[in-house]
Amino acid sequence: MPLSDERLLTLPITHLVAAQIRGEVSALQIVECYLRRARQIHAATNCFTCWVPEALDEAKRCDQYLLESGGKTLGRLHGIPCTIKDHYAMKGLPVTMGLKTLRERMEKSGGARHDAVAVLALRDAGAIPIAKTNMTQQGETWGGGNPAYGDTLNPWNTLRTTGGSSSGEGASVGSSASVFGIGSDVGGSVRCPAAFCGVAGLKPTAQRFSFAWDDGRTILNHPGDYGILATGGPLAKNVSDLAEVLKACWADGSPMLNIDTRMPPIPFNEEILAATRPLTIGYHVTGGYTHPNPCPTTVRATKRVVDALRAAGHHLVPFDPSSVIPFSDLHPVLLAQHGVGIRAEATPPAEPKKERTGNYSSTSTDATIDTIHPDLAAMSATAQSPGSLLPVATSIAEYHAIIAARDRQRDTLNRHWKQLGLDLLICPAWAFPAPPVEQVRNLSPAVWTTAVWNYFDMPAGVVPAGRVAGKELEELWDIPLDPPLIDADLVKACHRSREGSEGMPVAVQVIGQPWREELVLRGMLEIERAIAQSNDGLGSGHSNLNPVPRRSPEMGDQ
């Protein structure tokens, strides 16, 4: 009996691949199913920037290979539809980063001239990209809009934001318009849309997920940037699918490990993910770096996760990282809006042109970009490293002092972590559910909840932990004023965001030590299982969503 669209939209990756091997469904049927769903969701949420024209041909190639090989697949992602954030290059398609002028230039010139290594790795494993997804302009905000394509809206409630900057991925994966997607994160750009759209997402340690082109050159984190680096990361409806994607990308022989020399050649460690020993997990429900203090729904969800993990046999230990490195020592860095760099008056002597692969200015263009596609010269270094959150140095000595202070804080937290014997830390992913679109501009300080883990360069994942219950909206949410960090306007915006949020997803964040992504994934899996057993998960809600195209009255019709 053929698998229905409704069934296909709920199956995890391993089941979809197995169904193809058994002959129950073809890759072409799966891709056609997801394209139908994608067009429906795009009409309501504006989550895509362009379609991948060769998607159906790639599906046919998967089917032909399976037939001719006697049931062998191209890889563990054989025939699986996915989506790719506009940050990543795909040959022949635009890379605009939300810039209207760059979109126009790219459309005239025929798109990017190279593929991203991440795209090569996915296709090498048999995945089929079907569309590129929308993002905030240059990835510089946590909302969902840009001048080139407009706002992306949340499929759970189209009056609310998806979060960003991987906004299109949140909407697409969060509504089963793709099986998984690839985003990028420098302050929460994977985790925020994952939390707001009810999906799982992972921000690896910087440089463990490639941003390079197929020739090994890099578009993000330009040469000379050692501040707070952006990293790619996947989003999926469940943690098992996240693991499948990373197993494919980090497999021996994968283009991601073989082409990008900036990436450490660390294959995926299956043993860590499959281990069964009890974990020692630190946690905080309030306090920590969560900003502002979380709403009652987030508190309830975090407590339930902690209790469920304890009941499953894990060792839970109260731990507040801000007691080790006070938040007041971090926020001047996190408040900075510009990239790390040396200002023009302090620029070191120019190197010979033939050897120069980048520059040190936070406002000028990376030469690497220009050599790959002239139109990408319109992007500034801020676009290539949108969240390099350290202040701009005025001298080389000051630059080194900034980096040194940051590194000492990283070392201090990691040492304390190890002394406590912690495997992981669990804390709120965001203080509140997805806010209305018009409130995004008023809630920028809330991004510190996720951005702090980019600052420490620790892998961090997000797991759905429930939904807002109507009765919780009647509970008091006390947000003490703490000028200048928390003022009256921020408090009002928080309360407006909570109003009418019944049914919206909430999530917890799982943090690990650098290069321990597999352990973070294991913790996320433990949470997902525990939540499922407590009947507090989202179930198959993604594929059941039927978003209505609409805009907030305050935002107008355009």
Side-chain angles (χ1 to χ4, degrees):
M1 182 176 178
L3 295 174
S4 66
D5 278 15
E6 291 74 16
R7 180 67 174 148
L8 289 174
L9 293 173
T10 63
L11 290 177
I13 289 173
T14 53
H15 290 205
L16 286 170
V17 174
Q20 293 176 75
I21 295 173
R22 292 192 299 265
E24 297 173 357
V25 68
S26 67
L28 182 61
Q29 289 171 320
I30 296 172
V31 171
E32 288 176 333
C33 165
Y34 270 89
L35 281 172
R36 286 191 289 272
R37 178 66 171 172
R39 293 187 178 100
Q40 174 197 355
I41 295 301
H42 178 62
T45 66
N46 190 38
C47 57
F48 301 124
T49 62
C50 63
W51 305 102
V52 179
E54 62 269 26
L56 293 178
D57 288 337
E58 290 190 13
K60 293 174 184 176
R61 180 175 67 91
C62 286
D63 291 333
Q64 187 68 24
Y65 183 88
L66 190 67
L67 178 64
E68 294 177 352
S69 66
K72 293 183 179 179
T73 63
L74 288 168
R76 65 189 323 128
L77 303 178
H78 184 96
I80 304 300
C82 65
T83 47
I84 310 292
K85 185 178 179 179
D86 187 34
H87 252 164
Y88 293 86
M90 294 184 69
K91 191 173 182 179
L93 297 178
V95 182
T96 73
M97 298 194 184
L99 296 169
K100 188 175 181 180
T101 54
L102 190 52
R103 175 186 178 181
E104 294 170 351
R105 293 175 185 173
M106 292 290 270
E107 288 174 346
K108 291 179 181 177
S109 62
R113 300 178 183 177
H114 291 251
D115 281 322
V117 167
V119 175
L120 296 181
L122 294 173
R123 283 179 165 153
D124 188 65
I128 302 173
I130 61 173
K132 295 194 71 178
T133 51
N134 208 2
M135 61 178 286
T136 63
Q137 182 174 324
Q138 295 187 333
E140 290 178 338
T141 69
W142 64 272
N146 62 66
Y149 298 99
D151 287 314
T152 306
L153 308 177
N154 195 310
W156 292 80
N157 182 337
T158 50
L159 293 179
R160 293 178 178 266
T161 184
T162 55
S165 64
S166 305
S167 52
E169 290 301 339
S172 177
V173 179
S175 60
S176 283
S178 60
V179 179
F180 71 90
I182 302 299
S184 57
D185 191 310
V186 77
S189 290
V190 164
R191 289 161 291 156
C192 176
F196 286 177
C197 298
V199 300
L202 180 71
K203 175 206 80 69
T205 311
Q207 295 184 318
R208 198 179 174 189
F209 197 97
S210 177
F211 266 121
W213 306 79
D214 57 13
D215 63 357
R217 286 179 285 186
T218 185
I219 179 174
L220 217 60
N221 302 329
H222 57 286
D225 186 354
Y226 295 97
I228 299 177
L229 301 181
T231 178
L235 299 87
K237 288 171 284 187
N238 58 71
V239 182
S240 295
D241 283 355
L242 284 186
E244 286 299 304
V245 173
L246 292 173
K247 288 175 186 178
C249 290
W250 296 339
D252 281 329
S254 167
M256 193 169 285
L257 296 187
N258 287 344
I259 295 176
D260 190 348
T261 57
R262 293 172 178 268
M263 275 189 59
I266 306 175
F268 191 95
N269 192 322
E270 298 260 12
E271 292 183 1
I272 293 177
L273 188 65
T276 58
R277 69 171 178 85
L279 298 172
T280 300
I281 303 173
Y283 72 91
H284 64 82
V285 177
T286 58
Y289 299 119
T290 306
H291 190 80
N293 61 304
C295 71
T297 297
T298 301
V299 169
R300 185 227 2 131
T302 308
K303 285 182 177 177
R304 180 165 293 188
V305 166
V306 170
D307 291 343
L309 289 172
R310 186 179 284 119
H314 301 289
H315 183 44
L316 277 295
V317 180
F319 175 53
D320 183 348
S322 68
S323 67
V324 181
I325 306 293
F327 183 79
S328 58
D329 289 353
L330 300 177
H331 79 263
V333 172
L334 295 177
L335 277 171
Q337 296 295 316
H338 304 291
V340 180
I342 307 298
R343 287 194 180 139
E345 61 269 23
T347 300
E351 302 172 27
K353 186 173 182 180
K354 65 179 180 179
E355 299 176 4
R356 192 176 178 85
T357 58
N359 58 68
Y360 303 94
S361 170
S362 65
T363 57
S364 51
T365 302
D366 187 341
T368 305
I369 298 298
D370 191 38
T371 60
I372 295 174
H373 195 299
D375 291 336
L376 291 180
M379 294 188 299
S380 66
T382 303
Q384 297 147 42
S385 190
S388 292
L389 299 173
L390 297 176
V392 175
T394 57
S395 69
I396 294 175
E398 185 180 352
Y399 171 83
H400 287 303
I402 290 170
I403 298 297
R406 187 274 317 273
D407 287 350
R408 282 194 294 269
Q409 289 178 330
R410 289 179 175 179
D411 292 344
T412 298
L413 182 60
N414 280 311
R415 284 199 305 271
H416 194 84
W417 190 295
K418 288 185 176 180
Q419 288 169 1
L420 292 175
L422 299 181
D423 292 306
L424 301 166
L425 169 69
I426 292 175
C427 58
W430 266 67
F432 45 80
V437 173
E438 66 272 12
Q439 291 300 329
V440 169
R441 66 172 71 92
N442 302 319
L443 292 165
S444 293
V447 78
W448 300 340
T449 306
T450 51
V452 67
W453 303 112
N454 299 82
Y455 177 84
F456 285 118
D457 196 19
M458 303 175 83
V462 159
V463 189
R467 298 168 66 175
V468 179
K471 61 183 180 181
E472 293 167 341
L473 299 180
E474 301 173 4
E475 299 177 31
L476 175 66
W477 181 15
D478 182 33
I479 308 175
L481 293 176
D482 183 19
L485 298 180
I486 303 176
D487 59 20
D489 289 338
L490 177 62
V491 172
K492 290 178 182 177
C494 286
H495 286 302
R496 291 194 193 104
S497 297
R498 187 187 179 208
E499 294 170 2
S501 63
E502 184 175 1
M504 295 302 294
V506 292
V508 294
Q509 199 171 186
V510 183
I511 319 299
Q513 287 197 295
W515 312 111
R516 303 296 192 273
E517 283 76 14
E518 293 88 345
L519 189 56
V520 172
L521 285 168
R522 193 203 153 190
M524 294 169 69
L525 279 172
E526 297 285 352
I527 292 172
E528 191 172 70
R529 293 166 185 151
I531 290 297
Q533 292 172 0
S534 66
N535 295 317
D536 200 36
L538 302 182
S540 59
H542 310 96
S543 60
N544 293 330
L545 294 176
N546 187 24
V548 179
R550 56 183 177 170
R551 292 291 300 273
S552 165
E554 294 188 35
M555 298 299 291
D557 296 329
Q558 300 299 319

